Amino acid sequence: MSKIRRKFVVPGDLIVRGDYKPVANVYREGNSIYSLKVGLSEIEGRRVRVIPLSGRYAPRVNDVVVGIITDINPYAWTVDINSFFSAFLPATDVFGKRFSPERDDLTSRLKLKDVILAQIISFDRSKDPMLSAQGPRLGPIRGGHLVKISPVKVPRLIGRKGSMTRMIEEATGTRIIIGQNGYVVINGPPEKIPLAIKSIEMVEAEAHLAGLTENIQNFLSKSLGRKIESEKFDGE
Amino acid sequence: MSAAERKHEFVDSLRRRQIIDGLSLGKRTDGRGLTDYRELKMEIGAIVKANGSAMVHLGNTIVLVGVKVNLGTPFPDTPDEGILTVNADVLPIASPYEEPGPPDEDTIELARVVDRGIRESHMIDMSKLAIQPGKKVYSVFIDVTVLDVDGNLFDAVSYAAVAALMTTRFKKAVVKGDEVIQSDKMMEMPVKTIPVSITTAKIGSHTILDPDGIEEAVMDARLTTTFDSANRLCATQKGGEGWFTPEEILRQMDIARVKAKEIRSVIKEAVKNAKKS
Amino acid sequence: MTELIDKNNLRVDGRKLDELRPIKMQVGILKNADGSAYIEWGKNKIIAGVYGPKECHPKHMALPDRALLKCRYHMAPFSVDERKSPQPSRREIELSKIIREALSPAILLEEFPRTAIEIYIEVLQSDGGSRVASITAASAALADAGIPMKDLVVGCAVGKIDGKIVADLSDIEDKEGEVDLPVACMPNLNSVTLLQSDGPLSKEEFKKAFKLALDKCRYVYDIQRKALLEGYLAKTKEA
């Protein structure tokens, strides 16, 4: 595995000169790669990126997001996905091709303030993100506890191949649904929820510190009074 | 709150390309060279009800400035100086992008930049506009009416304001006992220097002088500099969403400094002719 | 007229000709704003907050190819000696525009079509150089909000008082002095994004003053950068 070089950067900082590939939150000017954001720069092989400290959720096609219904018109629901664009869920997605605005009442399926798990099926510069709630696990979320975290911290909450989420789920006996947009829903026995929330908040706060998995593991072990295991990967 | 509003023609991409290609060959769409001004015509004193006035045509841009001199109370921090006020109004007939109403940020900037050019060059000897220090001074209103917009309002308005001030005549006020009254004697504006505003625009890597409407629509940034008769820089204003390198700024100032002399002689000549007639 | 420079070349507040007033900066001080920064520069106390990118209202203002950048520079009524009306003055309207145009070149607005980015600058206490202090704080707030920028924007004013070129005019130096020359730039890109001046300067004087301003921008940049680093560490440590 190639060594990763990290350093703190602000916008305009020169990260590296030479033949490197800009991956995310960086830009190339001539032979040099500069940061676009405050965060940690990472050089992994020839690939250069910055892991940002903050920022709103930028929609991407295929992302699964947790959304909140904020408006309803005869043809679609407007959905808050914690981004700079509202998403929309067309009525035909829920009612099918035979949807008729005269006959079908959208509120019979999803009401204002309802929470859904949906996938972004289209989005580009000229139109708002379109959602679909058809697919495995997708659809209304009828119970649980909604927590909002910074979207830039979502990868750390998921962890390697989902390891962080699994560790928290197994230790606390809860189920965690994570939207790529930073909205997270926790399901489980009410008495288990607070510890899960606390763990998630801790991941968000310490996302940029080294030894995050270990810190969360220790926190959970201490809180529960038993040793919690974390998954081991090659090279760790 | 300030936000970029489009106040000019919607320029298609072919036209922009054509403008930039032309500039690379040293030619502008109207045939001018990069540092040429459009024809500058001045009509001085047309508004006889004003104490001074000047209409300026800079290409298709038309502006009219009237000066009125009133009696006023000095500001507490400058008790022995007159008062100078510049107001601008871009008329709704002047452009399809203007609407009636209070001045927007562009118009306010225009008035303030023209004000700065006059004030900071010390064009007017403000101490000579005091009548009774701390109590009564002359209050000079420079009101700008923009009639037709085709770029470079900053310079056109500045030339009109300067020419109007140079030809302003007003009733001399005298102190009689405790009162200040206007006499029948006329007095001229105490002018010390002739400020000249020069505006340059950056389009791609090119620098041009006196941008017209279409050039302003495609420019990256603008630099307005005002020079006094001794060719000192007296006021600067960078505008537009773009930037300049320090070298570009120094180069622009050198070009502008030379051009200011040229324009100053045009203004002087126009004022001389106006005073003769 | 007040003497602004004494025979030892020291200024009214004891500074050397090229010395700046003390600057303190802090990033991430507001909870609700997406990004925020606070700056103390001499007696200036200025807070900057950024919202966005967000949906653009009113919708007809939205631009199809990039974000609409909005900026408000506002002075609190108690920020100056004489109470200032809370209504925006002509000066505040001009500064809102000029500050927006100073920050705009750094931001990748084209990444967020149809959205708006809002910058709010509130001058709680005003001193000389409030516009360059505002730009420095606002740029840090934009970075704090995670908005992609090609470089930070940083400002510093220089001027001429008692016939000499000096850095960073205070209130009294601005009022009594001959020239004020505020500059803002993107230090890593060699780009000037704000330049204003008032008062007569010879060609040589301008050159000298301009160079001094750019040098001092570098100095302020280091403070700004450090504040962002500290903000970053604070954010990642609080639990």
Side-chain angles (χ1 to χ4, degrees), chain A:
Chain A
M1 198 181 214
S2 57
K3 204 168 166 280
I4 300 177
R5 283 182 285 156
R6 289 196 179 93
K7 70 177 180 195
F8 168 80
V9 289
V10 302
D13 276 5
L14 173 69
I15 299 171
V16 69
R17 273 188 229 277
D19 181 24
Y20 287 88
K21 186 172 182 292
V23 176
N25 301 310
V26 296
Y27 70 101
R28 181 205 291 279
E29 187 105 356
N31 194 29
S32 307
I33 292 183
Y34 300 89
S35 178
L36 285 168
K37 294 198 179 173
V38 177
L40 271 187
S41 69
E42 278 192 359
I43 305 172
E44 193 174 0
R46 301 273 105 187
R47 296 159 60 83
V48 186
R49 63 171 179 160
V50 167
I51 302 160
L53 173 68
S54 56
R56 292 203 175 187
Y57 170 64
R60 279 174 312 186
V61 173
N62 292 333
D63 272 7
V64 171
V65 295
V66 172
I68 304 165
I69 310 292
T70 57
D71 199 4
I72 305 171
N73 70 43
Y75 300 95
W77 292 269
T78 305
V79 187
D80 161 29
I81 56 164
N82 192 30
S83 180
F84 26 90
F85 301 109
S86 280
F88 70 101
L89 176 66
T92 48
D93 183 78
V94 173
F95 288 94
K97 273 199 198 121
R98 298 178 57 188
F99 164 71
S100 147
E102 295 87 31
R103 188 186 61 231
D104 297 319
D105 172 13
L106 270 69
T107 57
S108 66
R109 302 293 184 89
L110 284 165
K111 293 186 174 51
L112 204 68
K113 300 184 183 177
D114 275 359
V115 178
I116 55 164
L117 187 66
Q119 188 166 30
I120 297 176
I121 55 169
S122 80
F123 166 66
D124 63 36
R125 293 173 61 85
S126 62
K127 50 182 192 288
D128 289 345
M130 181 158 75
L131 301 176
S132 170
Q134 305 305 311
R137 297 171 39 243
L138 304 183
I141 299 174
R142 296 298 182 195
H145 197 101
L146 181 69
V147 180
K148 299 178 179 179
I149 69 167
S150 168
V152 298
K153 310 291 168 65
V154 166
R156 299 308 300 263
L157 178 58
I158 295 171
R160 271 209 176 182
K161 299 181 182 124
S163 60
M164 180 69 83
T165 315
R166 267 198 303 280
M167 179 170 74
I168 299 171
E169 283 181 334
E170 280 161 21
T172 59
T174 56
R175 298 292 300 160
I176 300 173
I177 302 167
I178 301 172
Q180 287 292 337
N181 57 333
Y183 288 179
V184 178
V185 178
I186 310 160
N187 273 291
E191 70 278 10
K192 308 273 191 185
I193 302 279
L195 185 60
I197 293 177
K198 219 151 183 216
S199 313
I200 291 170
E201 285 173 352
M202 194 169 155
V203 172
E204 186 185 18
E206 299 186 8
H208 286 75
L209 298 187
L212 178 69
T213 310
E214 217 176 82
N215 293 347
I216 301 296
Q217 190 184 351
N218 291 340
F219 167 74
L220 286 168
S221 303
K222 225 172 108 190
S223 307
L224 293 163
R226 62 184 164 91
K227 188 152 172 48
I228 299 300
E229 294 299 327
S230 68
E231 296 167 31
K232 288 277 179 282
F233 293 94
D234 294 342
E236 274 188 17

Side-chain angles (χ1 to χ4, degrees), chain B residues 69-107:
Chain B
V69 182
N70 291 350
L71 295 185
T73 316
F75 290 115
D77 53 342
T78 50
D80 47 5
E81 289 183 11
I83 298 171
L84 188 75
T85 310
V86 179
N87 261 305
D89 190 9
V90 182
L91 298 183
I93 48 164
S95 148
Y97 311 104
E98 289 295 337
E99 273 167 32
D104 63 11
E105 62 177 38
D106 293 333
T107 308

